[in-house]
Amino acid sequence: MAGHTETKHTLHGCSIHIMRGGSGAPLVYLHGSGGGGLWLPWMEDLARQFRVIVPEHPGFGRSDTPEWLDGIHDVALFYLEFLAAENLTGVHLVGGSLGGWIAAEIAMLDASRLKTLTLIGPAGIHVPGVRKPDLFLWSAEVLARRLFHDKAMGDEAAKRAVDPAGDDVRMKNIYTVARLAWHPRFYDPLLMKWLNRVKLPTLIVWGREDRVLPVALAQGFVERLPQAEIEIVPDCGHLPQLEKKDIFVERVRRFIAGSGR
Amino acid sequence: MKFFFFHLMPYAHLDPDYDKTYATDWLLYPNSNYDPLKGAELYNRYLDEIEYADTLGFDGVCVNEHHQTAYGLMPTPGVLAGALSRRTKTAKIAVLGRALPLLNNPLTVAEEYAILDNITRGRLIAGFVRGIGVEYHASGVNPTESHDRFHEAHDLILRAWIQPGPFPFEGKYYHFDYVNIWPRPYQQPHPPVWIPSQGSSETIRWASTKERRYVYLQTFSPVTALFRYMDMYREEARKSGYEASPDQLGWSITTYVAKTDEQALKEAKPHIEFFVNKFLRMPMEMLLPPGYLSLSSMKGVAAAKAGLGRQRTMDELIEQGQFICGSPETVRRRLGEYQDRAGFNLVLPNLHFGTLPGDLTRRNTELFAREVMPALRDRLPAGAREKARA
């Protein structure tokens, strides 16, 4: 077991919570709408090969909610400052869902510290005619269940989602999600125009049965990132890194190895 | 007491079984269920009912604002107020909407209200609200910006009314190089401002301060909440360095009067229960989108609204003080009791509610005007009576 440590980092008046494990080339993971703060088995797997760094975004979990947090660009620019403050280069940037959106924004704004980009069921791009479900009309329980294709995993997640012990963090997280993604709903017109600036080796992973951000949205990324490899994971919902952990970890390793690391 | 006839203008032809298919008659209930022929009848009937209240001597009449729902057909209340402005003669017209955060240009409200105030020669009462949570789903406006947009839009409108233009306004959400509205309001420096709310402590604190002293209206809530929030308003006013007057406090209360208690209860029951169980039906995620309330308020309100989907009976509503129903004597007595405890001097009776038919609405309005209002007109809350004598 590589294990992990937890630290705080304060930048622009905002203290964020960070988990770190393993050694090697830096791999930064940006979590999704549900929040971060849990060191998960797939992180442990990747920490055998990489120096895995997992921050909680401003406005989520144990991180502060700064006054300046108005939109997705604030988060992306905050992370560019963070990468600089940590003096990270050659970063393998991985983001899931909302975190995939943030990762794409970072890469669009300034890819100079990045080596590869992995987007897992990312938000951020609207594809005309593709209707996204309205997460803000779902209860926490319904949302948790629909994250997964596997029924047992969904039931388990739904059970956790109604535990009152998690209420405070859940409310804080969903508040920030609304702050960032209410309108336009989970996308950024600027990213739609300029994502094609990104020339990094890119991997897009999407669960074929994703009920949160439908796989049809992948088209919007493929069009703008023609160099991207795309992996559609069968029998899998919104979180391949949890639902199909081994496939996900193996695919990321292969992608990074093939990108001339 | 002063009396303001309040109408919500519901789509009274809502299918009573709609809730077998739909969770709510807001936002997602298809508007193919709106029949324009029936709707046109309703609009004209409802406006007649409001105009009738003017002739019966109410101090004012009120319209309000909700969007994309059968619950109320007044998404742009200024249009209704405009229709009323020429037909009513003495009643004040209170627009108990304009959900300011939903607007991209709040100056349109400054202008609209100023026009109404001119046409009515100063009979306008200017309501400002944030809109309930579901309006943020309907409009796309970010609920986490609601409070800030409300405050900024309010500041802009008040300055547009008071400060000679043209001047620039520099805000975060609203930024204008030229603020110079024509017409200016008829009432100087500006029309009275009323703030209806379900009871947000942030709103009460803001409305009650010495420099604003805005009228606070408690809308549809149990009397325990009414008492708590009116106490809170007075307390905040004291903290701000003055004693709030009963004329700064109003209560919107659904009311039904008939000759006897028995008759009133019998006639009102299906319509008040339709109102609360059909029209008001809404899942929590619609009512309270994230950020609509501060994190600290959210927990308390979510707990208080936990029974939202539950069917409620008329008896419960009466017991909790959300409905006053009975003979003129009963209605007078209950209004007096609540006035003494809560300390309000403005009463906004909803004399139409739910599916209440036209004939009963008229009779209700007449009985209220003739048998309830005169006896209470000079009545003050207990504390204020003593002060008036001293």
Side-chain angles (χ1 to χ4, degrees):
Chain A
M1 290 288 282
H4 78 284
T5 60
E6 309 209 2
T7 57
K8 294 275 189 185
H9 187 119
T10 300
L11 207 58
H12 286 267
C14 173
S15 162
I16 59 166
H17 186 265
I18 303 166
M19 301 182 298
R20 302 168 194 267
S23 58
L27 184 151
V28 174
Y29 173 68
L30 303 177
H31 65 76
S33 300
L38 278 180
W39 187 256
L40 298 165
W42 67 267
M43 297 173 187
E44 187 69 27
D45 287 357
L46 286 174
R48 294 204 191 97
Q49 188 181 346
F50 300 100
R51 177 181 160 203
V52 177
I53 302 168
V54 185
E56 271 183 289
H57 310 324
F60 283 84
R62 285 165 288 185
S63 296
D64 290 347
T65 305
E67 281 292 321
W68 47 254
L69 187 64
D70 288 329
I72 202 78
H73 298 138
D74 294 311
V75 187
L77 288 158
F78 175 84
Y79 277 127
L80 283 169
E81 295 282 291
F82 171 75
L83 297 180
E86 296 254 318
N87 199 22
L88 294 170
T89 52
V91 172
H92 300 292
L93 185 61
V94 182
S97 189
L98 177 81
W101 180 7
I102 298 166
E105 296 274 359
I106 292 169
M108 169 190 76
L109 291 167
D110 178 5
S112 61
R113 291 179 180 274
L114 307 183
K115 182 92 190 220
T116 68
L117 180 64
T118 299
L119 307 175
I120 314 162
I125 298 287
H126 174 67
V127 177
V130 176
R131 187 94 201 233
K132 295 187 287 276
D134 188 348
L135 310 190
F136 293 113
L137 289 180
W138 292 356
S139 67
E141 185 184 358
V142 166
L143 173 60
R145 183 168 284 116
R146 291 184 185 165
L147 287 172
F148 295 92
H149 174 65
D150 181 87
K151 190 173 176 313
M153 290 178 104
D155 289 344
E156 187 55 39
K159 221 182 293 168
R160 279 196 306 275
V162 293
D163 179 0
D167 275 354
D168 284 349
V169 166
R170 225 172 357 253
M171 274 165 62
K172 176 175 179 175
N173 291 354
I174 191 74
Y175 176 100
T176 303
V177 174
R179 190 83 180 153
L180 303 176
W182 187 271
H183 188 84
R185 189 59 59 88
F186 282 103
Y187 75 92
D188 173 20
L190 192 75
L191 185 67
M192 291 178 66
K193 280 189 283 186
W194 294 105
L195 181 60
N196 59 14
R197 291 183 74 216
V198 176
K199 306 301 178 202
L200 294 171
T202 300
L203 170 66
I204 296 165
V205 185
W206 221 299
R208 194 180 64 192
E209 284 77 24
D210 191 330
R211 289 186 281 172
V212 176
L213 294 173
V215 69
L217 293 169
Q219 189 53 37
F221 288 87
V222 170
E223 277 168 15
R224 292 167 175 85
L225 301 169
Q227 79 281 20
E229 299 174 28
I230 177 136
E231 185 72 33
I232 306 296
V233 185
D235 303 320
C236 183
H238 187 54
L239 305 172
Q241 66 273 46
L242 297 187
E243 194 160 356
K244 299 287 177 188
K245 185 199 74 153
D246 292 343
I247 293 172
F248 170 78
V249 169
E250 188 279 329
R251 189 65 185 86
V252 171
R253 283 201 178 121
R254 185 150 53 87
F255 160 65
I256 290 177
S259 69
R261 177 174 79 92
Chain B
M1 284 184 218
K2 297 190 181 90
F3 299 95
F4 295 79
F5 178 96
F6 195 177
H7 212 306
L8 298 177
M9 295 198 177
Y11 185 68
H13 303 289
L14 176 64
D15 175 5
D17 290 326
Y18 87 90
D19 51 354
K20 289 184 179 146
T21 316
Y22 298 95
T24 175
D25 62 324
W26 297 70
L27 191 69
L28 300 175
Y29 181 59
N31 66 358
S32 51
N33 291 291
Y34 176 85
D35 177 341
L37 296 179
K38 291 177 178 165
E41 288 304 312
L42 283 177
Y43 273 115
N44 285 286
R45 185 196 124 192
Y46 290 160
L47 285 167
D48 286 346
E49 288 168 2
I50 298 176
E51 289 162 14
Y52 187 45
D54 174 51
T55 68
L56 291 171
F58 281 80
D59 298 282
V61 294
C62 316
V63 293
N64 88 331
E65 172 180 349
H66 290 292
H67 299 263
Q68 304 195 15
T69 174
Y71 170 92
L73 298 175
M74 296 187 275
T76 55
V79 172
L80 285 310
L84 292 168
S85 64
R86 295 269 300 165
R87 295 287 292 270
T88 59
K89 297 304 173 198
T90 54
K92 306 257 185 210
I93 299 174
V95 182
L96 302 181
R98 290 329 303 270
L100 302 183
L102 309 186
L103 302 167
N104 287 320
N105 181 359
L107 288 175
T108 58
V109 168
E111 292 165 338
E112 175 185 302
Y113 277 179
I115 295 170
L116 288 166
D117 202 35
N118 278 265
I119 294 175
T120 59
R121 296 192 177 85
R123 286 189 285 127
L124 179 82
I125 292 167
F128 296 134
V129 299
R130 291 200 294 132
I132 64 171
V134 66
E135 322 294 3
Y136 292 80
H137 289 282
S139 66
V141 168
N142 194 321
T144 71
E145 297 173 355
S146 169
H147 273 294
D148 290 345
R149 286 172 72 101
F150 177 79
H151 291 144
E152 209 176 294
H154 160 273
D155 294 350
L156 170 59
I157 292 169
L158 266 286
R159 279 185 59 192
W161 282 344
I162 295 168
Q163 186 178 331
F167 64 86
F169 182 87
E170 298 163 358
K172 176 171 174 178
Y173 300 99
Y174 306 112
H175 193 122
F176 295 96
D177 285 340
Y178 310 102
V179 178
N180 187 27
I181 61 159
W182 291 67
R184 294 193 299 121
Y186 183 89
Q187 298 175 82
Q188 291 295 318
H190 61 79
V193 174
W194 288 15
I195 308 293
S197 169
Q198 297 183 83
S200 136
S201 46
E202 289 97 341
T203 300
I204 291 172
R205 196 168 305 126
W206 175 85
S208 64
T209 59
K210 196 170 183 171
E211 60 276 21
R212 296 199 187 90
R213 303 187 193 209
Y214 291 158
V215 166
Y216 175 75
L217 302 178
Q218 186 67 34
T219 57
F220 197 69
S221 18
V223 278
T224 47
L226 171 77
F227 300 154
R228 184 166 69 246
Y229 294 126
M230 302 232 147
D231 287 343
M232 187 188 288
Y233 186 102
R234 279 186 291 267
E235 184 53 37
E236 290 294 333
R238 249 169 248 133
K239 280 190 213 160
S240 174
Y242 77 103
E243 202 65 37
S245 132
D247 284 325
Q248 280 169 265
L249 295 167
W251 185 30
S252 153
I253 175 69
T254 311
T255 306
Y256 191 74
V257 202
K259 255 202 159 50
T260 64
D261 286 347
E262 295 69 34
Q263 190 192 347
L265 294 167
K266 184 162 166 282
E267 286 174 350
K269 186 175 168 68
H271 308 296
I272 187 68
E273 290 182 356
F274 197 99
F275 168 70
V276 73
N277 293 324
K278 304 289 181 180
F279 281 122
L280 265 179
R281 209 178 146 79
M282 193 189 301
M284 190 82 83
E285 288 72 27
M286 269 188 198
L287 185 68
L288 298 173
Y292 176 72
L293 297 174
S294 66
L295 285 180
S296 54
S297 304
M298 192 69 131
K299 272 188 115 170
V301 175
K305 300 268 181 189
L308 200 63
R310 205 169 45 84
Q311 293 289 304
R312 300 174 68 194
T313 64
M314 177 175 72
D315 292 346
E316 270 177 71
L317 294 169
I318 290 175
E319 192 187 312
Q320 292 170 2
Q322 285 186 277
F323 183 43
I324 297 183
C325 184
S327 67
E329 161 60 22
T330 300
V331 172
R332 288 195 298 262
R333 182 168 41 78
R334 296 208 73 164
L335 276 173
E337 286 165 11
Y338 292 136
Q339 185 192 32
D340 283 342
R341 173 60 189 85
F344 56 78
N345 207 31
L346 308 175
V347 178
L348 288 65
N350 291 94
L351 296 169
H352 175 268
F353 45 86
T355 44
L356 194 70
D359 55 340
L360 296 186
T361 305
R362 279 184 173 255
R363 209 189 60 209
N364 188 25
T365 310
E366 285 164 13
L367 281 173
F368 190 90
R370 289 174 186 153
E371 310 271 338
V372 176
M373 282 184 349
L376 298 177
R377 227 197 243 285
D378 297 324
R379 196 180 194 285
L380 290 169
R385 279 205 300 277
E386 285 144 25
K387 231 172 259 165
R389 273 198 297 273

